[in-house]
Amino acid sequence: MAAEPAALAAQVPFRANVVNYRVGPYRGVLPFPGGANIDVFCVDNLNGIGAAHQAYLTNLGVGANLARTRFGGYWFDNNTSAAFTSAGANRESALTRYRQAALLTELFKYTPYNPMNIPGSYQPIGQSVFGTSVSNPTWRDIHLAIWSRFDPAAVSALSASATNLINWARGQVIAKLAANDEVYFNRFTVISDAAMVRDANGRVNPLGGNGSQEFITNTVPEPAQLVLIGTGLLALGLIRTRKQG
């Protein structure tokens, strides 16, 4: 098994402020209190947001080890996102799917819908970002594309725009690896509930009902900025909320 990134040795308190809408970023503070404001993006639509809990940080860059994530150890059908425990034709690895989701999280900043007044440049996505296949997707399109990476039910809800977003993300991951630019993904971190129950092979049921939602962020501080105590856990405090329909 590959060595885990050094950042997994950090434990810091974290809080995500959740409001009553389903798509786009939640606003968080890391470390909490008094730390930097960050955005976290829900990757996992199959589970609710629980109370405060411990969570693991898994970097998606070079040498990524998904053993502590929700979907590590699975491969996903290209068309249906059904999960399998082995590689096969027309299947993508969990790492590929996480990286696609990570790239999609970066697109929220280009969209005009900004309910939390998050700082940054918000403008419609057009040909400068996607070429000719996608123009001005909504936040719902972007988040459906993210959720569909792991949730078969989300696939059936995809709009044409969301499908184009998936094709864009898939092409971007392939292009970056072909260009030996895997280091690009070092900026992304998965935040996973440490209390998820695993089977004898270390896998979590991919259909949900086990632990709290999983998130991706691209703003976790460098390890030198954190208190390193060697546990690999993040103290994750979330406002308890009902998952919106």
Side-chain angles (χ1 to χ4, degrees), residues 11-228:
Q11 183 185 44
V12 295
F14 171 75
R15 182 167 185 165
N17 298 303
V18 184
V19 295
N20 291 324
Y21 63 88
R22 228 184 126 167
V23 296
Y26 299 157
R27 200 62 168 156
V29 181
L30 181 68
F32 177 83
N37 289 313
I38 67 169
D39 291 335
V40 294
F41 303 87
C42 170
V43 179
D44 161 27
N45 191 41
L46 295 168
N47 295 276
I49 300 171
H53 61 273
Q54 296 289 307
Y56 288 117
L57 297 178
T58 300
N59 188 267
L60 291 177
V62 178
N65 179 350
L66 302 184
R68 292 174 172 172
T69 64
R70 178 176 295 280
F71 301 106
Y74 289 101
W75 285 258
F76 296 86
D77 183 86
N78 281 353
N79 297 316
T80 67
S81 289
F84 298 86
T85 57
S86 62
N90 298 314
R91 296 177 188 173
E92 293 176 322
S93 69
L95 180 58
T96 295
R97 288 294 176 101
Y98 276 116
R99 286 174 170 174
Q100 292 169 4
L103 289 173
L104 288 164
T105 67
E106 294 197 308
L107 303 181
F108 288 108
K109 66 184 178 181
Y110 294 102
T111 62
Y113 180 52
N114 184 15
M116 298 183 74
N117 296 314
I118 301 169
S121 174
Y122 289 81
Q123 57 192 18
I125 299 175
Q127 294 185 5
S128 62
V129 177
F130 292 105
T132 59
S133 62
V134 179
S135 180
N136 301 338
T138 65
W139 276 25
R140 181 178 183 274
D141 291 330
I142 298 171
H143 230 136
L144 275 175
I146 292 170
W147 290 329
S148 74
R149 301 302 71 217
F150 303 108
D151 180 5
V155 173
S156 63
L158 291 174
S159 63
S161 179
T163 299
N164 287 334
L165 291 171
I166 292 167
N167 292 334
W168 172 84
R170 180 172 282 139
Q172 287 293 303
V173 171
I174 293 171
K176 289 186 182 302
L177 296 180
N180 295 315
D181 191 19
E182 187 178 17
V183 69
Y184 180 88
F185 297 101
N186 286 356
R187 71 186 66 190
F188 299 108
T189 298
V190 180
I191 304 173
S192 309
D193 188 352
M196 291 184 292
V197 178
R198 299 180 182 275
D199 65 19
N201 296 308
R203 298 188 184 96
V204 176
N205 183 347
L207 296 180
N210 186 346
S212 299
Q213 280 184 353
E214 193 166 63
F215 299 91
I216 284 178
T217 184
N218 62 4
T219 49
V220 172
E222 294 295 322
Q225 297 176 264
L226 305 176
V227 179
L228 301 181

